[in-house]
Amino acid sequence: MKKGYILTLAILSSILLLVGCIAKGATSDGSEKVVILTNGDEEAVTSMEVALKNAGYEGQYVFQSLGTSELGGKLIAEGKQIDADIITMSSYFIDSAQGKHGMFADLTFATNALETYPSYYTPVLANTGSIFVNTQVLMEKGLPTPSSIEDLTKPEFKGLVSIPNIMDSSTGWLLVQAIISQYGEEEGKTILRDLIANVGPHLESSGSGPIKKVTAGEVAAGFGLRHQAVIASGQGAPIDFIDPTEGNFTLTESIAVVEKDDAQTELSMKMAEVIINDGREGILQDYPVALYGGEVISDDHQPAHTKKFGDTLTVELLKQHQDYFNSAK
């Protein structure tokens, strides 16, 4: 009886050890998998996986998806001790983590990026903000077509506007950047206060929340991701997309390799190169923002008023803008 009990414990211990190894990125033969932590949506992860499999890396990596706040917290708290070899994440979090920990290796492969980025990351995808409207609701309510974010603060739009909450969604940051850049913090706070008052119960925790409400006709206008409105319009929905005069601001999600000074770093760097060189074709279908030379997108996906925020985007700046947003409520 005692011998059987000891044998059972031994078997259980072996199973738990095996599970633990796999969870940490080990293959069944004991070799290490490259662990890729990402805040990417399902579509982006699928395109990255297809690129890696086609390049012959199937079975040599594992993706683990986390929310932006959760993954960002791990980066800031854990630094090089993080249980990952590759990170794909909002660029401002990567910048902040590098500033605190110096945790990422310089990329060893060349890219044909349209803009200059730090040596330790390169963008995987980008999201651009814009206004969008339900043309049927505008007609039914006798509302004018807005051309700016400020237009959405007019009394006739009360209860008929949806925006993302910057406290829950980085898409909301695109809105705040546009307002502060155009009007400054003082006048911008008045505009933001009036906008939030018009939004009422339609302040969304998801970046895709506003386009869903506008498409359903629950509200007449919204602010969110431009490409979602372009796609909805192309599918026959009564949606029109409008580039606000305050500007189309963009946030990127980038890839970085954790510097661990082991054999994994070299393999991770090769996989990162594959994701950029081979994965962008698929990613571009779902996130149509040109980031590299030779990438072609349709005219509909070309924003009219592309702008950049004056200050470097960091986690600290996001926190400042979140406080700014809350103070306007």
Side-chain angles (χ1 to χ4, degrees):
M1 187 72 173
K2 186 176 179 180
K3 186 182 292 185
Y5 177 72
I6 293 173
L7 180 60
T8 300
L9 283 178
I11 293 172
L12 286 173
S13 297
S14 298
I15 292 172
L16 288 172
L17 180 61
L18 178 60
V19 170
C21 289
I22 292 173
K24 292 179 181 178
T27 62
S28 58
D29 64 3
S31 61
E32 290 293 320
K33 286 185 178 181
V34 168
V35 177
I36 306 171
L37 293 188
T38 179
N39 74 328
D41 293 333
E42 182 180 351
E43 294 85 355
V45 173
T46 297
S47 293
M48 290 188 277
E49 285 200 278
V50 168
L52 290 172
K53 288 177 180 177
N54 289 344
Y57 290 111
E58 186 169 8
Q60 298 181 54
Y61 62 87
V62 57
F63 271 95
Q64 296 177 5
S65 296
L66 300 172
T68 300
S69 296
E70 184 180 2
L71 180 51
K74 282 178 67 67
L75 286 171
I76 301 302
E78 299 176 14
K80 288 185 179 181
Q81 303 306 311
I82 196 168
D83 54 345
D85 302 292
I86 296 174
I87 301 289
T88 80
M89 178 58 166
S90 302
S91 302
Y92 60 88
F93 259 118
I94 293 178
D95 275 322
S96 293
Q98 182 73 352
K100 182 173 182 179
H101 299 292
M103 61 185 289
F104 298 114
D106 284 348
L107 300 181
T108 58
F109 56 91
T111 71
N112 190 22
L114 297 176
E115 297 185 19
T116 301
Y117 297 96
S119 58
Y120 51 88
Y121 75 69
T122 194
V124 173
L125 59 88
N127 285 309
T128 299
S130 78
I131 295 171
F132 34 78
V133 297
N134 186 307
T135 54
Q136 288 182 354
V137 176
L138 289 182
M139 187 179 301
E140 290 168 3
K141 302 287 186 181
L143 296 170
T145 300
S147 61
S148 67
I149 296 169
E150 185 180 17
D151 284 345
L152 300 180
T153 68
K154 294 177 179 178
E156 54 264 40
F157 279 97
K158 189 169 183 62
L160 294 172
V161 182
S162 179
I163 65 171
N165 191 340
I166 190 176
M167 303 305 298
D168 305 307
S169 169
S170 59
T171 305
W173 198 10
L174 299 172
L175 172 72
V176 174
Q177 288 178 44
I179 290 174
I180 293 176
S181 292
Q182 181 68 25
Y183 303 106
E185 292 197 5
E186 186 174 348
E187 183 183 355
K189 185 171 289 187
T190 299
I191 290 171
L192 186 56
R193 182 180 296 114
D194 292 342
L195 177 62
I196 293 172
N198 273 1
V199 167
H202 304 298
L203 183 62
E204 302 299 312
S205 61
S206 163
S208 59
I211 189 64
K212 291 177 180 177
K213 284 202 168 181
V214 173
T215 302
E218 293 184 48
V219 295
F223 181 94
L225 298 180
R226 190 181 188 280
H227 74 271
Q228 292 180 334
V230 175
I231 291 171
S233 176
Q235 292 173 342
I239 298 295
D240 194 10
F241 44 94
I242 299 157
D243 296 321
T245 56
E246 293 89 353
N248 301 100
F249 288 76
T250 297
L251 288 173
T252 59
E253 294 180 10
S254 294
I255 193 164
V257 176
V258 181
E259 189 169 34
K260 294 191 172 180
D261 298 322
D262 58 19
Q264 289 295 91
T265 303
E266 183 178 352
L267 179 58
S268 298
M269 196 67 70
K270 291 178 180 178
M271 289 189 183
E273 183 175 7
V274 166
I275 287 172
I276 295 303
N277 289 343
D278 302 340
R280 277 289 298 166
E281 182 178 357
I283 290 170
L284 202 59
Q285 302 305 310
D286 296 299
Y287 306 90
V289 178
L291 297 172
Y292 296 92
E295 293 184 341
V296 178
I297 58 175
S298 68
D299 291 341
D300 282 348
H301 286 295
Q302 301 277 5
H305 307 301
T306 299
K307 290 185 181 179
K308 276 187 174 182
F309 196 69
D311 297 331
T312 301
L313 302 184
T314 63
V315 175
E316 293 73 24
L317 183 63
L318 172 59
K319 179 61 168 61
Q320 291 176 28
H321 286 178
Q322 287 175 330
D323 292 341
Y324 177 82
F325 182 88
N326 284 332
S327 70
K329 288 182 177 179

